[in-house]
């Protein structure tokens, strides 16, 4: 059975970037979102991709349990969770407490619901399998005008650390990829800043985290997007190849040795010495 990459929140800006990056590296994708129209647009945008869509909400424990039931007969190679909503701008002190409560309900708790019910569906002790959450800006320093989002982002960091610790003891790698800025996408190109990363570039980075654990030491729970060089689609393909062949492959296989050597070289190269176009 073909193993699929599960993308949660696939119709959001980052989710679309993850799907685009996965399609470019020819990975089978299972895209989940409550936005049926957005899923249809996603299929139309990637007509040649191995893309399956599921319209399903993730607003509650019951939603996550129902999704897990629908996925229990599928073989998953990992999960990238890009759950989040757009929130209005405004000072925290000027808004009713309901705004913060709703932000936590929409941007934080669905990650816990999903993790609780999807972790059991993933293989353990597999170098190419993991669970990557993607978090927005404001988690480390307050984002002016979006204090409610900053609080949710900070809480997501701690949730990721807790999940990383608890799931790691059972052989499942959990990491959070954090962004310092919004992303550039087809929906905001008119006002996006030049320094914002492209959504597909964020998708490639998330895929690289998922595909292969660090060559040395334990995988960190929180990985800032800006702390590592960007990866091209071909480099993600190399990481995917190595992960797919690591399970049960002989260490003497020359292709696997070459792939691992290239991954080690990528991991040890500083961003300043790279020549990959941005």
């Amino acid at each position: 059975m073909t193993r699929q990459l599960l993308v949660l929140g696939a119709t959001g800006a980052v989710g679309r970037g993850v799907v685009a990056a996965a399609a470019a590296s020819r990975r089978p994708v299972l895209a989940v979102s409550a936005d049926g129209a957005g899923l249809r647009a996603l299929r139309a945008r990637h007509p040649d991709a191995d893309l399956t869509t599921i319209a399903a909400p993730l607003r509650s424990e019951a939603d996550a349990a129902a999704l897990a039931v629908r996925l229990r007969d599928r073989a998953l190679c990992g999960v990238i969770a890009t759950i989040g909503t757009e929130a209005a701008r405004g000072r925290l002190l000027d808004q009713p407490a309901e705004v913060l409560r709703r932000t936590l309900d929409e941007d934080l708790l669905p990650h816990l619901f999903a993790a609780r019910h999807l972790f059991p569906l993933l293989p353990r002790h597999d170098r190419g399998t993991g669970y990557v959450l993607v978090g927005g800006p404001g988690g480390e320093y307050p984002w002016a005008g979006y204090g409610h989002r900053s609080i949710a982002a900070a809480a997501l960091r701690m949730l990721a650390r807790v999940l990383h610790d608890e799931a790691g003891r059972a052989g499942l790698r959990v990491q959070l990829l954090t962004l310092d800025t919004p992303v550039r996408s087809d929906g905001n190109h008119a006002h996006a800043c030049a320094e914002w990363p492209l959504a597909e570039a964020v998708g490639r980075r998330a895929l690289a985290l998922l595909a292969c654990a660090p060559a040395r030491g334990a995988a960190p729970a929180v990985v800032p997007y800006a702390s590592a060089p960007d990866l091209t689609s071909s480099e993600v393909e190399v990481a995917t190849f190595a992960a797919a062949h690591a399970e049960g492959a002989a260490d003497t296989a020359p292709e696997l040795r070459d792939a691992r050597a290239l991954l080690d070289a990528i991991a040890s190269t500083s961003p300043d010495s790279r020549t990959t176009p941005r």
Side-chain angles (χ1 to χ4, degrees), residues 24-134:
S25 59
R26 300 185 295 276
R27 297 189 63 156
V29 177
L30 181 57
V32 175
S33 172
D35 180 4
L39 290 174
R40 290 190 292 273
L42 203 59
R43 287 197 298 269
R45 187 165 187 166
H46 303 285
D48 299 324
D50 186 351
L51 175 62
T52 305
T53 60
I54 294 181
L58 266 176
R59 292 186 294 264
S60 67
E61 198 85 49
D63 288 343
L67 177 62
V69 170
R70 297 177 68 176
L71 298 177
R72 63 187 175 189
D73 294 328
R74 295 181 180 271
L76 302 179
C77 66
V79 177
I80 298 180
T82 66
I83 303 169
T85 58
E86 295 293 332
R89 178 182 172 87
R91 290 203 328 151
L92 186 66
L93 292 174
D94 295 336
Q95 301 178 85
E98 179 58 31
V99 172
L100 176 58
R101 181 181 294 111
R102 185 171 63 250
T103 302
L104 295 174
D105 284 344
E106 295 176 348
D107 291 0
L108 176 68
L109 291 180
H111 279 289
L112 176 59
F113 301 148
R116 191 195 319 277
H117 292 279
L118 297 180
F119 280 3
L121 304 182
L122 295 172
R124 299 300 198 265
H125 304 287
D126 187 336
R127 193 174 189 229
T129 300
Y131 197 108
V132 175
L133 305 90
V134 181

